[in-house]
Amino acid sequence: MSIDPERAATISAQLPGSRVVLCDVTDEDAVNAAFRGIDRLDILVNNAGIGLVGNVEETSADDFRRIFRTNVEGVFLVTRAAIPLIRASHGSIINIGSVAGLVGVKRRFAYCGTKGAVIAFTRQLAVDYPGEFRVNCIAPGTVETPFVEAFLERYHKHEKEKTREELHRRQPVGRMGKAEEIAGLALYLACDESSFMTGSILPIDGGWTAA
């Protein structure tokens, strides 16, 4: 599911048997309608999210509500709609959290709050549904993605390369992560080799949370 039809179509073209479902995860009716069109679901990845830069004083009420609506309420609405299908398949839910839900990140007041909620959701769902399906959470550090590019363009347009280098250095290994590295961990959580794992929070952060 996506709200970006062009990028979704590009990805779908690389995945035989897949199809694109356009859906705004903050729209309850749209989410429920999307899941009514799905007959079987083995894996759910809650990956939709937005960012916000600012400390508590810099965060407007509207921006606070907007990020919580996408990053937290969106996970709630999608997960609730998916549970009958995931329960039927004894499937796997994979939530994409962040190291920002595990440690404080400067000037990420609201974002840290949303990712902390996703981590708490993960643990709570694992307690409520043991044996019915699995739910785990990946907590990435900074990863080179369009999300980071949009952040650089919006907040650091005048010094993008300087800030990009700072983002690389934020991880003790000296670089940002790659999307393929996060996808590899998600693949493991989706398959039977991880069948003894539920309620786990897995940092993949170049050593950030260990430092």
Side-chain angles (χ1 to χ4, degrees), residues 46-47 94-101 111 114-116 118-119 122 136-141 201:
N46 281 312
N47 189 44
I94 302 163
N95 292 327
I96 305 301
S98 169
V99 296
Y111 184 72
T114 65
K115 292 305 182 177
V118 171
I119 287 169
T122 300
N136 294 287
C137 180
I138 298 174
I201 314 301

mmCIF file with all atom_site columns, all heavy atoms in Angstrom, residues 46-47 94-101 111 114-116 118-119 122 136-141 201:
data_model
loop_
_atom_site.group_PDB
_atom_site.id
_atom_site.type_symbol
_atom_site.label_atom_id
_atom_site.label_alt_id
_atom_site.label_comp_id
_atom_site.label_asym_id
_atom_site.label_entity_id
_atom_site.label_seq_id
_atom_site.pdbx_PDB_ins_code
_atom_site.Cartn_x
_atom_site.Cartn_y
_atom_site.Cartn_z
_atom_site.occupancy
_atom_site.B_iso_or_equiv
_atom_site.pdbx_formal_charge
_atom_site.auth_seq_id
_atom_site.auth_comp_id
_atom_site.auth_asym_id
_atom_site.auth_atom_id
_atom_site.pdbx_PDB_model_num
ATOM 1   N N   . ASN A 1 46  ? 4.667  -2.473  8.652  1.00 0.00 ? 46  ASN A N   1
ATOM 2   C CA  . ASN A 1 46  ? 4.207  -1.108  8.926  1.00 0.00 ? 46  ASN A CA  1
ATOM 3   C C   . ASN A 1 46  ? 5.384  -0.159  8.741  1.00 0.00 ? 46  ASN A C   1
ATOM 4   O O   . ASN A 1 46  ? 6.196  0.038   9.648  1.00 0.00 ? 46  ASN A O   1
ATOM 5   C CB  . ASN A 1 46  ? 3.651  -1.011  10.348 1.00 0.00 ? 46  ASN A CB  1
ATOM 6   C CG  . ASN A 1 46  ? 2.242  -1.550  10.458 1.00 0.00 ? 46  ASN A CG  1
ATOM 7   O OD1 . ASN A 1 46  ? 1.371  -1.207  9.657  1.00 0.00 ? 46  ASN A OD1 1
ATOM 8   N ND2 . ASN A 1 46  ? 2.007  -2.405  11.445 1.00 0.00 ? 46  ASN A ND2 1
ATOM 9   N N   . ASN A 1 47  ? 5.473  0.438   7.548  1.00 0.00 ? 47  ASN A N   1
ATOM 10  C CA  . ASN A 1 47  ? 6.644  1.234   7.182  1.00 0.00 ? 47  ASN A CA  1
ATOM 11  C C   . ASN A 1 47  ? 6.297  2.690   6.873  1.00 0.00 ? 47  ASN A C   1
ATOM 12  O O   . ASN A 1 47  ? 7.197  3.505   6.695  1.00 0.00 ? 47  ASN A O   1
ATOM 13  C CB  . ASN A 1 47  ? 7.330  0.596   5.962  1.00 0.00 ? 47  ASN A CB  1
ATOM 14  C CG  . ASN A 1 47  ? 8.663  1.221   5.652  1.00 0.00 ? 47  ASN A CG  1
ATOM 15  O OD1 . ASN A 1 47  ? 9.465  1.477   6.543  1.00 0.00 ? 47  ASN A OD1 1
ATOM 16  N ND2 . ASN A 1 47  ? 8.915  1.490   4.381  1.00 0.00 ? 47  ASN A ND2 1
ATOM 17  N N   . ILE A 1 94  ? 5.766  -6.819  11.009 1.00 0.00 ? 94  ILE A N   1
ATOM 18  C CA  . ILE A 1 94  ? 7.076  -6.194  11.176 1.00 0.00 ? 94  ILE A CA  1
ATOM 19  C C   . ILE A 1 94  ? 6.861  -4.685  11.214 1.00 0.00 ? 94  ILE A C   1
ATOM 20  O O   . ILE A 1 94  ? 6.467  -4.082  10.213 1.00 0.00 ? 94  ILE A O   1
ATOM 21  C CB  . ILE A 1 94  ? 8.028  -6.571  10.021 1.00 0.00 ? 94  ILE A CB  1
ATOM 22  C CG1 . ILE A 1 94  ? 8.184  -8.094  9.941  1.00 0.00 ? 94  ILE A CG1 1
ATOM 23  C CG2 . ILE A 1 94  ? 9.387  -5.887  10.213 1.00 0.00 ? 94  ILE A CG2 1
ATOM 24  C CD1 . ILE A 1 94  ? 8.749  -8.581  8.621  1.00 0.00 ? 94  ILE A CD1 1
ATOM 25  N N   . ASN A 1 95  ? 7.084  -4.103  12.367 1.00 0.00 ? 95  ASN A N   1
ATOM 26  C CA  . ASN A 1 95  ? 6.958  -2.656  12.522 1.00 0.00 ? 95  ASN A CA  1
ATOM 27  C C   . ASN A 1 95  ? 8.320  -1.997  12.301 1.00 0.00 ? 95  ASN A C   1
ATOM 28  O O   . ASN A 1 95  ? 9.334  -2.495  12.778 1.00 0.00 ? 95  ASN A O   1
ATOM 29  C CB  . ASN A 1 95  ? 6.441  -2.299  13.911 1.00 0.00 ? 95  ASN A CB  1
ATOM 30  C CG  . ASN A 1 95  ? 5.005  -2.740  14.120 1.00 0.00 ? 95  ASN A CG  1
ATOM 31  O OD1 . ASN A 1 95  ? 4.206  -2.738  13.183 1.00 0.00 ? 95  ASN A OD1 1
ATOM 32  N ND2 . ASN A 1 95  ? 4.668  -3.119  15.346 1.00 0.00 ? 95  ASN A ND2 1
ATOM 33  N N   . ILE A 1 96  ? 8.327  -0.896  11.578 1.00 0.00 ? 96  ILE A N   1
ATOM 34  C CA  . ILE A 1 96  ? 9.563  -0.149  11.390 1.00 0.00 ? 96  ILE A CA  1
ATOM 35  C C   . ILE A 1 96  ? 9.576  1.005   12.392 1.00 0.00 ? 96  ILE A C   1
ATOM 36  O O   . ILE A 1 96  ? 8.827  1.976   12.266 1.00 0.00 ? 96  ILE A O   1
ATOM 37  C CB  . ILE A 1 96  ? 9.708  0.381   9.954  1.00 0.00 ? 96  ILE A CB  1
ATOM 38  C CG1 . ILE A 1 96  ? 9.595  -0.775  8.952  1.00 0.00 ? 96  ILE A CG1 1
ATOM 39  C CG2 . ILE A 1 96  ? 11.041 1.107   9.800  1.00 0.00 ? 96  ILE A CG2 1
ATOM 40  C CD1 . ILE A 1 96  ? 10.628 -1.876  9.116  1.00 0.00 ? 96  ILE A CD1 1
ATOM 41  N N   . GLY A 1 97  ? 10.407 0.841   13.423 1.00 0.00 ? 97  GLY A N   1
ATOM 42  C CA  . GLY A 1 97  ? 10.561 1.870   14.438 1.00 0.00 ? 97  GLY A CA  1
ATOM 43  C C   . GLY A 1 97  ? 11.759 2.745   14.098 1.00 0.00 ? 97  GLY A C   1
ATOM 44  O O   . GLY A 1 97  ? 11.946 3.145   12.944 1.00 0.00 ? 97  GLY A O   1
ATOM 45  N N   . SER A 1 98  ? 12.579 3.004   15.077 1.00 0.00 ? 98  SER A N   1
ATOM 46  C CA  . SER A 1 98  ? 13.769 3.832   14.877 1.00 0.00 ? 98  SER A CA  1
ATOM 47  C C   . SER A 1 98  ? 14.582 3.821   16.161 1.00 0.00 ? 98  SER A C   1
ATOM 48  O O   . SER A 1 98  ? 14.028 3.607   17.251 1.00 0.00 ? 98  SER A O   1
ATOM 49  C CB  . SER A 1 98  ? 13.362 5.273   14.543 1.00 0.00 ? 98  SER A CB  1
ATOM 50  O OG  . SER A 1 98  ? 14.474 6.142   14.600 1.00 0.00 ? 98  SER A OG  1
ATOM 51  N N   . VAL A 1 99  ? 15.877 4.084   16.031 1.00 0.00 ? 99  VAL A N   1
ATOM 52  C CA  . VAL A 1 99  ? 16.660 4.304   17.245 1.00 0.00 ? 99  VAL A CA  1
ATOM 53  C C   . VAL A 1 99  ? 16.105 5.491   18.024 1.00 0.00 ? 99  VAL A C   1
ATOM 54  O O   . VAL A 1 99  ? 16.301 5.593   19.234 1.00 0.00 ? 99  VAL A O   1
ATOM 55  C CB  . VAL A 1 99  ? 18.155 4.545   16.930 1.00 0.00 ? 99  VAL A CB  1
ATOM 56  C CG1 . VAL A 1 99  ? 18.788 3.327   16.314 1.00 0.00 ? 99  VAL A CG1 1
ATOM 57  C CG2 . VAL A 1 99  ? 18.352 5.763   16.050 1.00 0.00 ? 99  VAL A CG2 1
ATOM 58  N N   . ALA A 1 100 ? 15.358 6.370   17.333 1.00 0.00 ? 100 ALA A N   1
ATOM 59  C CA  . ALA A 1 100 ? 14.747 7.521   18.010 1.00 0.00 ? 100 ALA A CA  1
ATOM 60  C C   . ALA A 1 100 ? 13.675 7.113   19.008 1.00 0.00 ? 100 ALA A C   1
ATOM 61  O O   . ALA A 1 100 ? 13.263 7.932   19.828 1.00 0.00 ? 100 ALA A O   1
ATOM 62  C CB  . ALA A 1 100 ? 14.146 8.482   16.973 1.00 0.00 ? 100 ALA A CB  1
ATOM 63  N N   . GLY A 1 101 ? 13.237 5.866   18.954 1.00 0.00 ? 101 GLY A N   1
ATOM 64  C CA  . GLY A 1 101 ? 12.328 5.355   19.972 1.00 0.00 ? 101 GLY A CA  1
ATOM 65  C C   . GLY A 1 101 ? 13.052 4.717   21.142 1.00 0.00 ? 101 GLY A C   1
ATOM 66  O O   . GLY A 1 101 ? 12.422 4.333   22.128 1.00 0.00 ? 101 GLY A O   1
ATOM 67  N N   . TYR A 1 111 ? 9.044  13.232  16.847 1.00 0.00 ? 111 TYR A N   1
ATOM 68  C CA  . TYR A 1 111 ? 9.428  12.014  16.135 1.00 0.00 ? 111 TYR A CA  1
ATOM 69  C C   . TYR A 1 111 ? 9.836  10.922  17.111 1.00 0.00 ? 111 TYR A C   1
ATOM 70  O O   . TYR A 1 111 ? 9.420  9.760   16.975 1.00 0.00 ? 111 TYR A O   1
ATOM 71  C CB  . TYR A 1 111 ? 10.561 12.320  15.160 1.00 0.00 ? 111 TYR A CB  1
ATOM 72  C CG  . TYR A 1 111 ? 10.965 11.145  14.305 1.00 0.00 ? 111 TYR A CG  1
ATOM 73  C CD1 . TYR A 1 111 ? 10.142 10.701  13.277 1.00 0.00 ? 111 TYR A CD1 1
ATOM 74  C CD2 . TYR A 1 111 ? 12.173 10.470  14.524 1.00 0.00 ? 111 TYR A CD2 1
ATOM 75  C CE1 . TYR A 1 111 ? 10.504 9.621   12.489 1.00 0.00 ? 111 TYR A CE1 1
ATOM 76  C CE2 . TYR A 1 111 ? 12.539 9.396   13.739 1.00 0.00 ? 111 TYR A CE2 1
ATOM 77  C CZ  . TYR A 1 111 ? 11.700 8.974   12.718 1.00 0.00 ? 111 TYR A CZ  1
ATOM 78  O OH  . TYR A 1 111 ? 12.067 7.895   11.945 1.00 0.00 ? 111 TYR A OH  1
ATOM 79  N N   . THR A 1 114 ? 6.769  9.358   18.594 1.00 0.00 ? 114 THR A N   1
ATOM 80  C CA  . THR A 1 114 ? 6.025  8.432   17.734 1.00 0.00 ? 114 THR A CA  1
ATOM 81  C C   . THR A 1 114 ? 6.714  7.080   17.642 1.00 0.00 ? 114 THR A C   1
ATOM 82  O O   . THR A 1 114 ? 6.053  6.035   17.660 1.00 0.00 ? 114 THR A O   1
ATOM 83  C CB  . THR A 1 114 ? 5.833  9.007   16.318 1.00 0.00 ? 114 THR A CB  1
ATOM 84  O OG1 . THR A 1 114 ? 7.094  9.155   15.654 1.00 0.00 ? 114 THR A OG1 1
ATOM 85  C CG2 . THR A 1 114 ? 5.115  10.346  16.353 1.00 0.00 ? 114 THR A CG2 1
ATOM 86  N N   . LYS A 1 115 ? 8.023  7.084   17.546 1.00 0.00 ? 115 LYS A N   1
ATOM 87  C CA  . LYS A 1 115 ? 8.729  5.812   17.404 1.00 0.00 ? 115 LYS A CA  1
ATOM 88  C C   . LYS A 1 115 ? 8.774  5.044   18.726 1.00 0.00 ? 115 LYS A C   1
ATOM 89  O O   . LYS A 1 115 ? 8.793  3.807   18.738 1.00 0.00 ? 115 LYS A O   1
ATOM 90  C CB  . LYS A 1 115 ? 10.129 6.047   16.842 1.00 0.00 ? 115 LYS A CB  1
ATOM 91  C CG  . LYS A 1 115 ? 10.112 6.535   15.399 1.00 0.00 ? 115 LYS A CG  1
ATOM 92  C CD  . LYS A 1 115 ? 9.325  5.593   14.484 1.00 0.00 ? 115 LYS A CD  1
ATOM 93  C CE  . LYS A 1 115 ? 9.333  6.028   13.040 1.00 0.00 ? 115 LYS A CE  1
ATOM 94  N NZ  . LYS A 1 115 ? 8.621  5.080   12.144 1.00 0.00 ? 115 LYS A NZ  1
ATOM 95  N N   . GLY A 1 116 ? 8.773  5.770   19.839 1.00 0.00 ? 116 GLY A N   1
ATOM 96  C CA  . GLY A 1 116 ? 8.623  5.094   21.123 1.00 0.00 ? 116 GLY A CA  1
ATOM 97  C C   . GLY A 1 116 ? 7.284  4.388   21.226 1.00 0.00 ? 116 GLY A C   1
ATOM 98  O O   . GLY A 1 116 ? 7.177  3.276   21.765 1.00 0.00 ? 116 GLY A O   1
ATOM 99  N N   . VAL A 1 118 ? 5.551  3.157   18.674 1.00 0.00 ? 118 VAL A N   1
ATOM 100 C CA  . VAL A 1 118 ? 5.600  1.971   17.810 1.00 0.00 ? 118 VAL A CA  1
ATOM 101 C C   . VAL A 1 118 ? 6.294  0.815   18.516 1.00 0.00 ? 118 VAL A C   1
ATOM 102 O O   . VAL A 1 118 ? 5.853  -0.342  18.438 1.00 0.00 ? 118 VAL A O   1
ATOM 103 C CB  . VAL A 1 118 ? 6.313  2.300   16.479 1.00 0.00 ? 118 VAL A CB  1
ATOM 104 C CG1 . VAL A 1 118 ? 6.569  1.031   15.660 1.00 0.00 ? 118 VAL A CG1 1
ATOM 105 C CG2 . VAL A 1 118 ? 5.478  3.285   15.663 1.00 0.00 ? 118 VAL A CG2 1
ATOM 106 N N   . ILE A 1 119 ? 7.358  1.111   19.239 1.00 0.00 ? 119 ILE A N   1
ATOM 107 C CA  . ILE A 1 119 ? 8.052  0.069   19.997 1.00 0.00 ? 119 ILE A CA  1
ATOM 108 C C   . ILE A 1 119 ? 7.152  -0.494  21.090 1.00 0.00 ? 119 ILE A C   1
ATOM 109 O O   . ILE A 1 119 ? 7.072  -1.719  21.293 1.00 0.00 ? 119 ILE A O   1
ATOM 110 C CB  . ILE A 1 119 ? 9.363  0.632   20.575 1.00 0.00 ? 119 ILE A CB  1
ATOM 111 C CG1 . ILE A 1 119 ? 10.379 0.817   19.435 1.00 0.00 ? 119 ILE A CG1 1
ATOM 112 C CG2 . ILE A 1 119 ? 9.938  -0.258  21.667 1.00 0.00 ? 119 ILE A CG2 1
ATOM 113 C CD1 . ILE A 1 119 ? 11.615 1.599   19.812 1.00 0.00 ? 119 ILE A CD1 1
ATOM 114 N N   . THR A 1 122 ? 4.531  -2.769  19.632 1.00 0.00 ? 122 THR A N   1
ATOM 115 C CA  . THR A 1 122 ? 5.097  -4.066  19.253 1.00 0.00 ? 122 THR A CA  1
ATOM 116 C C   . THR A 1 122 ? 5.106  -5.021  20.439 1.00 0.00 ? 122 THR A C   1
ATOM 117 O O   . THR A 1 122 ? 4.653  -6.172  20.335 1.00 0.00 ? 122 THR A O   1
ATOM 118 C CB  . THR A 1 122 ? 6.532  -3.878  18.731 1.00 0.00 ? 122 THR A CB  1
ATOM 119 O OG1 . THR A 1 122 ? 6.504  -3.014  17.590 1.00 0.00 ? 122 THR A OG1 1
ATOM 120 C CG2 . THR A 1 122 ? 7.160  -5.209  18.363 1.00 0.00 ? 122 THR A CG2 1
ATOM 121 N N   . ASN A 1 136 ? 7.314  -8.097  15.544 1.00 0.00 ? 136 ASN A N   1
ATOM 122 C CA  . ASN A 1 136 ? 8.635  -7.610  15.937 1.00 0.00 ? 136 ASN A CA  1
ATOM 123 C C   . ASN A 1 136 ? 8.857  -6.224  15.356 1.00 0.00 ? 136 ASN A C   1
ATOM 124 O O   . ASN A 1 136 ? 8.109  -5.770  14.490 1.00 0.00 ? 136 ASN A O   1
ATOM 125 C CB  . ASN A 1 136 ? 9.717  -8.576  15.447 1.00 0.00 ? 136 ASN A CB  1
ATOM 126 C CG  . ASN A 1 136 ? 9.643  -9.928  16.129 1.00 0.00 ? 136 ASN A CG  1
ATOM 127 O OD1 . ASN A 1 136 ? 9.992  -10.075 17.292 1.00 0.00 ? 136 ASN A OD1 1
ATOM 128 N ND2 . ASN A 1 136 ? 9.171  -10.942 15.394 1.00 0.00 ? 136 ASN A ND2 1
ATOM 129 N N   . CYS A 1 137 ? 9.875  -5.553  15.842 1.00 0.00 ? 137 CYS A N   1
ATOM 130 C CA  . CYS A 1 137 ? 10.133 -4.177  15.422 1.00 0.00 ? 137 CYS A CA  1
ATOM 131 C C   . CYS A 1 137 ? 11.598 -3.995  15.055 1.00 0.00 ? 137 CYS A C   1
ATOM 132 O O   . CYS A 1 137 ? 12.490 -4.367  15.825 1.00 0.00 ? 137 CYS A O   1
ATOM 133 C CB  . CYS A 1 137 ? 9.753  -3.211  16.547 1.00 0.00 ? 137 CYS A CB  1
ATOM 134 S SG  . CYS A 1 137 ? 10.020 -1.470  16.158 1.00 0.00 ? 137 CYS A SG  1
ATOM 135 N N   . ILE A 1 138 ? 11.831 -3.430  13.892 1.00 0.00 ? 138 ILE A N   1
ATOM 136 C CA  . ILE A 1 138 ? 13.174 -3.049  13.464 1.00 0.00 ? 138 ILE A CA  1
ATOM 137 C C   . ILE A 1 138 ? 13.383 -1.578  13.824 1.00 0.00 ? 138 ILE A C   1
ATOM 138 O O   . ILE A 1 138 ? 12.533 -0.737  13.542 1.00 0.00 ? 138 ILE A O   1
ATOM 139 C CB  . ILE A 1 138 ? 13.345 -3.248  11.951 1.00 0.00 ? 138 ILE A CB  1
ATOM 140 C CG1 . ILE A 1 138 ? 13.175 -4.733  11.594 1.00 0.00 ? 138 ILE A CG1 1
ATOM 141 C CG2 . ILE A 1 138 ? 14.700 -2.735  11.483 1.00 0.00 ? 138 ILE A CG2 1
ATOM 142 C CD1 . ILE A 1 138 ? 13.179 -5.001  10.098 1.00 0.00 ? 138 ILE A CD1 1
ATOM 143 N N   . ALA A 1 139 ? 14.509 -1.275  14.454 1.00 0.00 ? 139 ALA A N   1
ATOM 144 C CA  . ALA A 1 139 ? 14.824 0.097   14.861 1.00 0.00 ? 139 ALA A CA  1
ATOM 145 C C   . ALA A 1 139 ? 16.090 0.561   14.133 1.00 0.00 ? 139 ALA A C   1
ATOM 146 O O   . ALA A 1 139 ? 17.197 0.431   14.646 1.00 0.00 ? 139 ALA A O   1
ATOM 147 C CB  . ALA A 1 139 ? 15.009 0.177   16.375 1.00 0.00 ? 139 ALA A CB  1
ATOM 148 N N   . PRO A 1 140 ? 15.931 1.117   12.930 1.00 0.00 ? 140 PRO A N   1
ATOM 149 C CA  . PRO A 1 140 ? 17.121 1.525   12.173 1.00 0.00 ? 140 PRO A CA  1
ATOM 150 C C   . PRO A 1 140 ? 17.754 2.800   12.724 1.00 0.00 ? 140 PRO A C   1
ATOM 151 O O   . PRO A 1 140 ? 17.079 3.645   13.339 1.00 0.00 ? 140 PRO A O   1
ATOM 152 C CB  . PRO A 1 140 ? 16.572 1.783   10.762 1.00 0.00 ? 140 PRO A CB  1
ATOM 153 C CG  . PRO A 1 140 ? 15.199 1.185   10.738 1.00 0.00 ? 140 PRO A CG  1
ATOM 154 C CD  . PRO A 1 140 ? 14.707 1.277   12.154 1.00 0.00 ? 140 PRO A CD  1
ATOM 155 N N   . GLY A 1 141 ? 19.049 2.928   12.483 1.00 0.00 ? 141 GLY A N   1
ATOM 156 C CA  . GLY A 1 141 ? 19.697 4.218   12.631 1.00 0.00 ? 141 GLY A CA  1
ATOM 157 C C   . GLY A 1 141 ? 19.402 5.047   11.394 1.00 0.00 ? 141 GLY A C   1
ATOM 158 O O   . GLY A 1 141 ? 18.370 4.864   10.740 1.00 0.00 ? 141 GLY A O   1
ATOM 159 N N   . ILE A 1 201 ? 12.694 -6.069  19.761 1.00 0.00 ? 201 ILE A N   1
ATOM 160 C CA  . ILE A 1 201 ? 13.058 -4.781  19.190 1.00 0.00 ? 201 ILE A CA  1
ATOM 161 C C   . ILE A 1 201 ? 14.505 -4.911  18.717 1.00 0.00 ? 201 ILE A C   1
ATOM 162 O O   . ILE A 1 201 ? 15.404 -5.164  19.523 1.00 0.00 ? 201 ILE A O   1
ATOM 163 C CB  . ILE A 1 201 ? 12.940 -3.639  20.214 1.00 0.00 ? 201 ILE A CB  1
ATOM 164 C CG1 . ILE A 1 201 ? 11.605 -3.737  20.981 1.00 0.00 ? 201 ILE A CG1 1
ATOM 165 C CG2 . ILE A 1 201 ? 13.115 -2.287  19.534 1.00 0.00 ? 201 ILE A CG2 1
ATOM 166 C CD1 . ILE A 1 201 ? 10.370 -3.687  20.106 1.00 0.00 ? 201 ILE A CD1 1
#
